[in-house]
Amino acid sequence: MGQEAAESTIVERSLLSIRRRGMFMGPVIVLSDAPAARYHNLAVKDPNFIPMRPLSQDWRRNLTEDMPYKRFKTYILQYLELDDRLKSVELVYYLDIDVVVGRPMKEWFEHVESTFVPESRKYSSSLIFFKGNFPWRPLQGGQFLVQRKFSQVCLERWRHHIDAHPEDPKDQSANNATQPHTCHLVIMPQYPYLQFINETVIKDLVRTQKYPTLMHIKNTEHADWIPDRLQRRFFQKLLMLNSREAKLVGKTQIHPSQQLPSASQLLTTKVTATKS
């Protein structure tokens, strides 16, 4: 959501990593307020890429900073009902758009669904999060698991808290304040599945090419501190791109007159090669 996502290639970057490194070919939903034409080529090339637009009645423009966008996390289950392809979906793995994937996702899915999902279903409503980076932020808001039959009450409480505290720029605050008898939060350790990226980490990943399942680059913060050339090398290796392709999905802005047919063509070519 927002201008940065629409005018950069971070959506293509994330999707390519899910398909190529994550080897996940199932539905990937992107909620975007960009013009519908922005992701048309990508949706044509990849029928399991599902762009959605936010409904006008769901906006709360009075919230601070980027909270009007973050608030849409709490509508995940309602938006599943807007596309018939998603009728049978029971589990939704939410990822911020600046998260990229480095390993097959099946292992992580199986670990979560065998270890943490059974615990969460002991409660009438629950959400599953990764552990936070600080004592005052005990959970991460950029990656979490929603269950169709077990998470609606939690999501509604989350939205209510956000609306009641329009000055708070952190969506995690609501879940920190959630009462366990109405919404139970299951917390997963970050290691070995999630890693936050800074310059030191990205240099090591470029050198070893040994990636965790999820890498959160935090485009609004950490990415600004990592040299552009280093980011390009990282994405070139992670997404197995040649030098021409790397210019499309690195830390690159798109001129309004440009389109991205090449990125969507790359996706189809690579998926076909993987399947064969």
Side-chain angles (χ1 to χ4, degrees):
M1 297 268 278
Q3 184 175 0
E4 181 181 13
E7 295 183 355
S8 72
T9 54
I10 58 176
V11 170
E12 284 82 359
R13 189 177 76 186
S14 181
L15 182 62
L16 282 167
S17 73
I18 290 170
R19 299 302 196 213
R20 293 186 178 185
R21 290 288 185 175
M23 297 183 183
F24 177 71
M25 305 303 164
V28 174
I29 306 162
V30 170
L31 185 66
S32 174
D33 55 347
R38 170 64 180 85
Y39 300 112
H40 174 76
N41 287 336
L42 208 51
V44 169
K45 294 291 184 180
D46 183 344
N48 277 330
F49 172 71
I50 305 174
M52 290 187 172
R53 292 186 58 77
L55 301 177
S56 59
Q57 65 266 27
D58 295 335
W59 284 102
R60 292 295 180 273
R61 303 285 188 179
N62 64 315
L63 302 178
T64 190
E65 298 184 14
D66 57 355
M67 286 300 293
Y69 301 126
K70 291 183 177 181
R71 184 177 180 271
F72 279 94
K73 297 177 185 181
T74 69
Y75 284 111
I76 287 176
L77 294 181
Q78 285 98 314
Y79 279 70
L80 286 187
E81 304 297 332
L82 301 181
D83 193 299
D84 289 341
R85 290 171 289 181
L86 305 173
K87 294 297 185 184
S88 63
V89 171
E90 294 294 331
L91 302 177
V92 179
Y93 288 81
Y94 171 88
L95 301 175
D96 278 356
I97 200 59
D98 51 3
V99 174
V100 289
V101 174
R103 298 177 61 83
M105 301 185 78
K106 182 180 179 182
E107 178 187 349
W108 178 49
F109 291 162
E110 290 177 346
H111 173 65
V112 172
E113 290 165 27
S114 64
T115 306
F116 299 104
V117 168
E119 177 187 349
S120 72
R121 290 181 175 175
K122 297 176 184 178
Y123 305 89
S124 58
S125 190
S126 60
L127 294 169
I128 302 175
F129 289 89
F130 278 108
K131 184 178 180 181
N133 291 326
F134 307 102
W136 57 91
R137 295 289 180 197
L139 56 84
Q140 291 294 335
Q143 321 84 18
F144 58 90
L145 176 62
V146 171
Q147 301 179 71
R148 196 169 206 144
K149 296 179 180 178
F150 291 89
S151 297
Q152 184 58 39
V153 171
C154 284
L155 293 173
E156 290 174 359
R157 285 188 58 85
W158 192 357
R159 183 163 62 249
H160 174 78
H161 186 95
I162 290 172
D163 291 348
H165 299 84
E167 75 291 343
D168 191 338
K170 297 292 185 181
D171 58 326
Q172 302 101 313
S173 302
N175 285 314
N176 295 342
T178 296
Q179 297 301 314
H181 64 277
T182 56
C183 175
H184 185 79
L185 304 181
V186 177
I187 308 299
M188 304 181 290
Q190 293 185 18
Y191 182 83
Y193 295 102
L194 172 65
Q195 188 168 21
F196 285 82
I197 303 300
N198 56 33
E199 184 172 354
T200 300
V201 170
I202 207 170
K203 284 180 179 178
D204 188 59
L205 293 173
V206 168
R207 179 179 58 83
T208 65
Q209 297 185 52
K210 294 181 178 179
Y211 307 109
T213 306
L214 305 176
M215 292 163 281
H216 198 162
I217 301 175
K218 299 186 75 172
N219 253 47
T220 58
E221 184 178 347
H222 293 168
D224 291 338
W225 305 335
I226 302 172
D228 184 72
R229 178 177 294 184
L230 180 58
Q231 290 194 54
R232 289 185 184 280
R233 288 178 58 203
F234 169 71
F235 286 116
Q236 183 173 356
K237 292 179 181 293
L238 174 70
L239 300 177
M240 299 170 281
L241 306 172
N242 62 39
S243 57
R244 180 188 62 82
E245 297 165 349
K247 294 178 181 179
L248 289 172
V249 292
K251 189 181 178 184
T252 309
Q253 298 298 310
I254 304 170
H255 188 274
S257 64
Q258 290 180 303
Q259 297 180 354
L260 283 172
S262 298
S264 54
Q265 288 166 1
L266 289 174
L267 175 63
T268 305
T269 301
K270 199 67 180 188
V271 169
T272 302
T274 302
K275 287 181 177 178
S276 63

